[in-house]
Amino acid sequence: MNTQLNIQQQKNELYKRKVARRHRMILAGCVALLLLSLLISMNSGYAKLTPLDTLRTLFGGGTGKENLILFSFRLPRIVISMLIGGGLALSGCIIQSIARNGLADPGLLGINAGAGLMVILYVMFFGAQSFLSIFTLPFLSLIGAGVTAVLVYILAFKKGEGIAPMRLVLTGVAVQAGISALTTLLVVKLDDTQFDFVATWQAGSIWGSNWNYVLALLPWLLLLIPYVMMKSRVLDVLNLGEDEACGLGVAVEQERRKLLAAAVALAASSVAVSGSISFVGLIAPHLARRLVGPKHSILLPACVLVGGVLVAVADTIARVIVQPAEIPTGIVVAVIGAPYFLYLLAKSKTA
């Protein structure tokens, strides 16, 4: 009996090491894809830079024009797109886990719309191009997104049942529709300059494409991503269900509120810089889950990497597909995300 038990334990350990090695290889592959998308994006645009020109400029040998193109225009936007993708993907993964609903997403639940409403109110009263707005908008977006999240949470919660997955999505869609209607009323009162900015923001154009916006967004991600990673085991337990999580000693409502606050802050700080980009928080967690499985200690970093690649590639396509003009990144993501959402919706109905 002891011999059989030891053999089984050795098999289990061997299997765990094999899975861990596979996960490390997948994460390394995601990092490689992120770097590849970075290199391709640096060489893509209306102003032509060859790969050799890019490498020379990176190492300090570029002309004044090449330095301007790479360091002032392209690199800040590429870094911003990757940070935004990682933040939105992580936010979507958290929301899907705490709601136990694969269709949940910051955009679908109205969180992006709430953040956008605060951005529009700020633009109406103070304008959008001041230096102060770079650091103020993430905080205002957080307030709008937080109020929206609390409203959706309260409306979707039913005593004795908790939060039903489909009720959460439907409530979020309804709240988003109401906020969008209010936003439309406010847009009518904007002048031409304000309207152009808001239209660009709503389409999901990465308008904050300089190093100041990188500095404004980076602290949020540096604080929130490690916190969420520390909560990976809590997310694993919450995935088992409310009763099972309570039985394992988890303070379900308290942890759920903390994680929802982190998800809202990630989404709000990202959309404050990127505009209203939907579906990243829906697609990236599903793709990451297919690659590494449901265990959050590996799923969360995979989500950040997949989201970064997704938005970086979408932004590169948006910049080059109709040169010399460009289309908003949010439109490219929506073209990819909307069919995938319909596929997931049809799959959930047949399940």
Side-chain angles (χ1 to χ4, degrees), residues 76-112:
R77 179 160 175 168
I78 296 166
V79 173
I80 279 285
S81 66
M82 290 179 174
L83 293 176
I84 289 164
L88 290 175
L90 192 58
S91 176
C93 184
I94 297 167
I95 292 172
Q96 288 176 12
S97 296
I98 63 177
R100 299 178 63 208
N101 185 347
L103 299 178
D105 165 77
L108 294 174
L109 297 185
I111 293 172
N112 290 0

Side-chain angles (χ1 to χ4, degrees), residues 314-338:
D315 186 55
T316 303
I317 294 171
R319 286 192 289 114
V320 302
I321 196 169
V322 288
Q323 289 181 349
E326 63 179 59
I327 59 177
T329 306
I331 293 177
V332 178
V333 176
V335 168
I336 301 168

Side-chain angles (χ1 to χ4, degrees), residues 6-153:
N6 289 334
I7 292 172
Q8 187 62 40
Q9 287 177 344
Q10 289 175 359
K11 287 183 178 179
N12 290 339
E13 287 297 323
L14 185 63
Y15 175 75
K16 286 179 182 179
R17 286 198 294 269
K18 185 178 178 181
V19 170
R21 186 166 58 249
R22 176 176 173 271
H23 287 167
R24 286 195 295 270
M25 290 177 64
I26 290 172
L27 286 181
C30 290
V31 171
L33 279 176
L34 194 67
L35 293 174
L36 181 62
S37 64
L38 172 67
L39 291 173
I40 292 172
S41 191
M42 283 193 297
N43 288 284
S44 302
Y46 182 65
K48 300 298 181 184
L49 285 180
T50 65
L52 189 60
D53 292 335
T54 301
L55 286 174
R56 190 180 69 251
T57 305
L58 282 174
F59 288 102
T63 64
K65 180 182 177 181
E66 290 169 341
N67 284 324
L68 181 69
I69 292 170
L70 190 60
F71 292 113
S72 297
F73 296 130
R74 290 189 185 169
L75 265 180
R77 179 160 175 168
I78 296 166
V79 173
I80 279 285
S81 66
M82 290 179 174
L83 293 176
I84 289 164
L88 290 175
L90 192 58
S91 176
C93 184
I94 297 167
I95 292 172
Q96 288 176 12
S97 296
I98 63 177
R100 299 178 63 208
N101 185 347
L103 299 178
D105 165 77
L108 294 174
L109 297 185
I111 293 172
N112 290 0
L117 180 61
M118 291 302 293
V119 170
I120 290 171
L121 289 172
Y122 181 86
V123 170
M124 284 182 65
F125 291 105
F126 302 105
Q129 303 304 319
S130 66
F131 177 78
L132 186 62
S133 68
I134 296 173
F135 300 95
T136 305
L137 284 178
F139 288 100
L140 293 175
S141 296
L142 178 60
I143 293 171
V147 171
T148 304
V150 170
L151 181 61
V152 171
Y153 189 89

